[in-house]
Amino acid sequence: METVLYYLVPILLVVGTVAFMEWFATWSHKHIMHGWGWGWHKSHHEPHDDAFEKNDLYAVVFAGVAIALFAAGEWWRPLTWIALGITIYGFLYFVLHDGLVHQRWPFKYIPRKGYLKRVYQAHRLHHAVEDKDGCVSFGFVYAPPVSKLVKQLHENRKGFDESALKEDEPSTPAMPR
């Protein structure tokens, strides 16, 4: 007879890993991708018509980590649940960031209210600055309130493209694909 822990531990590992990945993705986006890793990430902040960008290599690296953890889970089972959490986070990233915000899927959807609108606007504000410095909102699943981000952009004294808040056009100059 299995105990509650038999099911609870894997669930907590998966959910905890998804939460950790949002923290880690936010941290690495701010300090690596907008720091020494700008060489890959810069492609994401430039307009282009290609299906892929150099920035997609970050997703390949994270997928490689998840695959390695799935393999290592054969020897120590908790790594399988951690790998599943990373994979779920990768799916959320794909849907929210690549799909919803950057419209990298075959149909267009611009959210008009609620959580999805907040994520959409927060990431548009991230792209409202022309270079790697002075950006705001580095997370992918959590988005701070838009008013807080606008205030932060003004405090950065970098100036930003106000069209980032427009809802009707997903491909404004402030929002490279």
Side-chain angles (χ1 to χ4, degrees), residues 41-174:
H41 189 62
K42 182 179 181 182
S43 67
H44 182 63
H45 285 263
E46 298 174 333
H48 63 84
D49 291 327
D50 302 327
F52 295 101
E53 52 194 44
K54 202 172 199 180
N55 181 68
D56 293 334
L57 291 172
Y58 284 112
V60 172
V61 169
F62 286 124
V65 170
I67 291 166
L69 289 173
F70 274 121
E74 293 296 318
W75 293 282
W76 193 54
R77 198 49 153 180
L79 293 178
T80 299
W81 305 117
I82 293 168
L84 181 60
I86 293 171
T87 302
I88 290 170
Y89 184 82
F91 176 76
L92 292 172
Y93 171 89
F94 172 74
V95 169
L96 292 172
H97 179 265
D98 286 351
L100 177 72
V101 176
H102 289 287
Q103 306 289 315
R104 289 177 77 178
W105 48 26
F107 60 90
K108 305 287 184 217
Y109 171 72
I110 300 173
R112 302 289 180 207
K113 61 183 177 178
Y115 166 75
L116 293 179
K117 178 180 179 180
R118 185 163 146 174
V119 168
Y120 180 81
Q121 286 185 318
H123 200 73
R124 288 179 61 87
L125 287 170
H126 173 77
H127 283 270
V129 176
E130 288 191 20
D131 59 15
K132 70 178 188 167
D133 299 317
C135 291
V136 296
S137 188
F138 292 90
F140 299 105
V141 176
Y142 169 75
V146 171
S147 60
K148 181 179 175 183
L149 296 174
V150 170
K151 181 180 176 191
Q152 223 178 334
L153 280 167
H154 286 297
E155 288 171 1
N156 289 346
R157 296 193 176 142
K158 296 281 289 181
F160 71 99
D161 186 347
E162 300 274 349
S163 70
L165 288 174
K166 290 183 181 173
E167 297 173 16
D168 56 344
E169 182 57 47
S171 59
T172 63

